[in-house]
Amino acid sequence: MRRQRPTLIAVSTLIAITLTTAAPTPATAAPPDQVTALTAHQADGYTTLAWQPVDGATDYQIERTPVDADGAPTGAPTIVGIWRPNRQINQQAPTFADAGYNPGDTFQWRVRARTGTTEQPYSDPVTATTTAPWGNPDTPGEGLRTGWETTHAAQYTSDTDEYAYTAAIDALSDRVRVVELGRTVQNRPINMLVIGHPTPPATPAAVAATAPVAINCNVHGNEPGDREACLIMARQLAFSTDPRITDLLSHTTVLIVPTINGDGRANNTRGNSTGQDLNRDYSLIRQPETTAYITMVRDYRPVAGYDGHEFGNSRAGDLPMLPPRHQNVAQPIFDQSQDMIEGHMYAKGAEAGWWACPYGCEGGGNVGLSEETILRNTLGLKNVTNSLLELRSSGGQTRPDEGNTANNRRRKTYSAVWTFHQFLDYHRADRADILNSRAEAIETQAANTGRLVFRGSRPIPAHPAPHPGDSPPPLDAPPADLILDTPPCAYKLTDAQYNGARTDGPGGVGTTVAQRIAAHGWKVITIGDDHYVPLNQPERGLIPLLLDPKGVEKLTDGERIHPTLTGRRNGPLVVSGFTCADDATINGPVTVRAGAALVTTATTISGPLTAAGAAGVLLADSTINGPVRIANTTDTISIIDATIAGPTDLSGNTTGTDAPVLAGTTIRGPLSCTGNNPTPHNLGIANTVHGPRTTQCAAL
Ligand SMILES: [Zn+2]
């Protein structure tokens, strides 16, 4: 179990908070069942109402009345909210985030308890002016507004409005660089805002070094509430002088993709223009939109993410969330994601009045399962701490005044703004834990131990009462025929499988398996006409789902290659062809011949390891008691969680676009890297080197 932080983080997550004047002190003592001590905190697009609980209350009703500047009513009082006990984890301090109004307007609120169906007296009223849309309208940059904001949520921001808005942010803010990740099927740009302080790092690799966070919006084109939040938040991050914002942006880079499905948004459809649900394509990457996102994940290496949606279950909480639960996701990533949701979002939701809860919820049906095609799971399998975010589409049973479309839209969007800011605060506060979980996950995956599951989820137990949701998602246990107890070492693909034409993309034309594997960033070794994808690499949990014959939604039927070297072996070893060692002890020097490949897990080699002109060398969870010299490799190099007792030298390796990896490894001796193209990197997992590190490896 991940530890629970004993104290809440001190950084406020609310922007431009103002506290209303205190409720007037009643002249006489309040009746025993009257709500007292009502307060109203203002934040972006919502008001947190808080009060003293009444003994024996079944629920509470929140009443809002529009008033003028003098506090005189300008409209009828309306029940806008119902507080129920399953709403928050801390029931001793009830809160309700009232939203669904025009930001900047002035209201009076009252709250009353109900005992059964009996209405108790209302509290004394509190009157306050709500927070106007973020940014001084007269200040360049801050004054930008989306089409959704200028129409008071009557219309969603159009594609052309979005491009103009993001281009203006790009032009006016040094903190922002807008990059085009790709184009949709209908040739709309897929933009990403890269945001840092004082400026974003210049290259994807430099961004990756900041442990970036990624927010993905609007994958379902007819679920646009979070997209508007992404756009508003981009403006806040670009121009705010709030020390909290500049602090956040000084410690990481925020990656915002406001519209991953631009064609679906323009046509208000769930899928893209081909009808494909893009959130069932992130592993297969048949479509240009998902390919763009997955390639971004490869290059920018976000360590945490949120993926925005809307949910049609009217009985759900405000903000259903769910971690990556596919059983091939490494345990530390699942635990860290759960900590983000249940440890942080549930606690902060109880403070702000938002009802975060598990996806599924009462009557939620068969949702939130293990499909690796869903971004939540794909990212988890890529060792990214992350969560699904749903915005309840309707006002539901607890927000009776949201028949009004604009008010309903505003509640959804500002609840997403709240969540995304909370996400950034969580990353800021728990960055070390997130990075430790990622490192543990990568090392666990690369060790290639334990069963593989083709479909099946980790259970999400109900949160201990008082819990913020009625029901967790379905169990989704893996069926026996989708479990592989003994993992292979690698998958072998024929050249036809690897490079052959495909018809599973738009218009019956698909990219090759080779291109998709490259987009995922997996290491591949080619020997003759055969292409090997070893499992001793960071995305070990995802590879079989696409390449094993048992994969439920796979790319091809790769051939399982099992280890050929196990147990004890004495004397020198010369490796030719594709050789896989697992749980082996090799007493003697090992030489990898030109054009050959060595893949190891849980293996000890005594004596030097030498590879000259090899196709590939991939060592994980292994020990080399002697020097290691790898030169002139042609395809790929990966050394993860190894111990090398001797000098280590990587030189003259030219591995195309695939950078050598040296991560989480202890080297008892000098480390030298010269003439490698590309330059080796460490996946953000530092190595321990008991000797000088020189030239290309100086920073590893
Ligand atoms: Zn959705």
Side-chain angles (χ1 to χ4, degrees), residues 3 5 9 344 424-433:
R3 68 182 171 78
R5 278 172 292 113
I9 56 172
H344 183 83
L424 299 188
D425 285 340
Y426 178 76
H427 174 273
R428 178 74 180 93
D430 284 51
R431 175 194 174 105
D433 283 353

Side-chain angles (χ1 to χ4, degrees), residues 220 223 270 309-310:
H220 293 141
E223 299 173 6
R270 178 177 175 90
H309 294 258
E310 296 189 23

Side-chain angles (χ1 to χ4, degrees), residues 129-142:
T129 298
T130 58
T131 303
W134 187 88
N136 185 333
D138 300 323
T139 302
E142 283 190 22

Side-chain angles (χ1 to χ4, degrees), residues 366-693:
N366 222 24
V367 298
L369 306 182
S370 68
E371 297 102 311
E372 68 278 3
T373 53
I374 296 172
L375 183 61
R376 165 178 59 88
N377 284 319
T378 315
L379 286 180
L381 292 162
K382 290 176 176 288
N383 305 302
V384 179
T385 293
N386 84 102
S387 176
L388 171 82
L389 171 66
E390 298 278 350
L391 315 174
R392 189 188 54 249
S393 301
S394 67
Q397 295 171 313
T398 65
R399 295 183 184 269
D401 190 39
E402 289 193 14
N404 178 312
T405 299
N407 281 346
N408 182 258
R409 290 174 176 180
R410 287 189 277 229
R411 186 262 310 166
K412 285 186 286 188
T413 287
Y414 288 113
S415 69
V417 170
W418 175 82
T419 306
F420 294 152
H421 276 287
Q422 284 298 333
F423 169 50
L424 299 188
D425 285 340
Y426 178 76
H427 174 273
R428 178 74 180 93
D430 284 51
R431 175 194 174 105
D433 283 353
I434 293 169
L435 294 181
N436 283 338
S437 295
R438 181 176 174 84
E440 283 177 38
I442 287 173
E443 291 177 5
T444 301
Q445 295 281 20
N448 190 25
T449 55
R451 71 182 193 178
L452 292 164
V453 166
F454 294 98
R455 281 282 162 86
S457 293
R458 285 198 170 77
I460 306 286
H463 194 84
H467 54 83
D470 289 312
S471 16
L475 181 62
D476 190 30
D481 65 334
L482 292 182
I483 297 171
L484 183 62
D485 285 319
T486 306
C489 166
Y491 290 96
K492 183 169 83 173
L493 308 185
T494 66
D495 201 57
Q497 289 174 321
Y498 191 64
N499 286 315
R502 294 185 67 91
T503 59
D504 56 353
V509 180
T511 53
T512 63
V513 169
Q515 289 170 312
R516 296 187 210 185
I517 286 176
H520 280 297
W522 300 345
K523 297 193 175 301
V524 180
I525 296 161
T526 296
I527 297 177
D529 283 340
D530 296 326
H531 307 277
Y532 296 87
V533 184
L535 290 193
N536 69 343
Q537 47 181 325
E539 296 182 14
R540 175 258 191 186
L542 182 57
I543 292 167
L545 309 183
L546 291 171
L547 302 183
D548 193 279
K550 271 188 180 292
V552 177
E553 291 183 76
K554 62 200 170 191
L555 289 174
T556 190
D557 290 344
E559 180 188 345
R560 294 175 190 164
I561 302 297
H562 289 283
T564 49
L565 269 176
T566 58
R568 182 171 293 272
R569 188 187 191 287
N570 294 321
L573 173 68
V574 177
V575 169
S576 57
F578 181 86
T579 297
C580 180
D582 177 57
D583 200 14
T585 302
I586 302 167
N587 291 318
V590 173
T591 303
V592 184
R593 278 193 174 153
L598 176 65
V599 173
T600 75
T601 46
T603 286
T604 299
I605 297 173
S606 66
L609 170 62
T610 308
V617 178
L618 288 88
L619 315 174
D621 186 27
S622 291
T623 299
I624 319 295
N625 289 315
V628 170
R629 182 178 179 82
I630 302 173
N632 304 320
T633 307
T634 55
D635 290 4
T636 194
I637 295 171
S638 175
I639 303 172
I640 298 175
D641 190 23
T643 300
I644 299 172
T648 300
D649 183 273
L650 306 180
S651 59
N653 299 292
T654 52
T655 47
T657 57
D658 177 59
V661 165
L662 178 61
T665 288
T666 298
I667 297 173
R668 300 203 176 89
L671 170 62
S672 170
C673 302
T674 54
N676 300 290
N677 186 15
T679 300
H681 70 99
N682 68 5
L683 295 173
I685 309 172
N687 299 287
T688 302
V689 180
H690 302 287
R693 290 176 233 213

